[in-house]
Amino acid sequence: MSESPTATRLGVTVTVGPLGDVRGNIATLLGQSLHELLTMFYPPAVGKKANVAVTELIQNVIQNVLDADSELGLDLRVDQDALIVRVRNKATTAQYEAVHARIDALAASVAPKDLFTATLRSRRADRLKGGLGLMRLVAENRFRLAVSYEQEHMTMQATFPLRGMP
């Protein structure tokens, strides 16, 4: 292993389809597997960040499958500058617009942790489940989020800067 493990570049692409055939918790399985792989080359914190992003983004896809015959694509890239996780899946424009609005609200928030706490309390009072994954990525894990939509497919991107990490 080199003296500077963050100099390593690593990329992984996984495609799963049809989504209707998924059995078990694929989000957790992929998140944990990539965590294990990344800790061979990077500090454990990088593997943990990847695990959180992969698990949250894929779980969102699995919970909102539009077409059981469609697939999801996972693309993870790490170099000395950043950890980037992209998840692509079939989605409606309404789904895209809802996600885009959430990301805009998070980006506009001066205090994402406060927004997360207030949302958590509100959802608990209303007995609502889910809907906190993107907020967790920003508020608790300091990811920058982006979303795009092209030809019936939404791509979520979570970026974590690695510069300055031990």
Side-chain angles (χ1 to χ4, degrees), residues 4 16 20 32 59 61 64 82-83 92 100 111 115 128 132 151:
S4 176
V16 177
Q32 289 175 349
Q59 191 63 41
V61 170
N64 298 291
L83 161 66
T92 65
H100 194 274
L115 177 62
L128 298 172
L132 300 172
Q151 298 177 353

Side-chain angles (χ1 to χ4, degrees), residues 112-133:
K113 282 189 179 183
D114 293 342
L115 177 62
F116 175 73
T117 301
T119 303
L120 184 61
R121 285 186 183 133
S122 167
R123 293 183 70 75
R124 188 175 296 143
D126 294 337
R127 298 178 186 251
L128 298 172
K129 293 182 180 178
L132 300 172

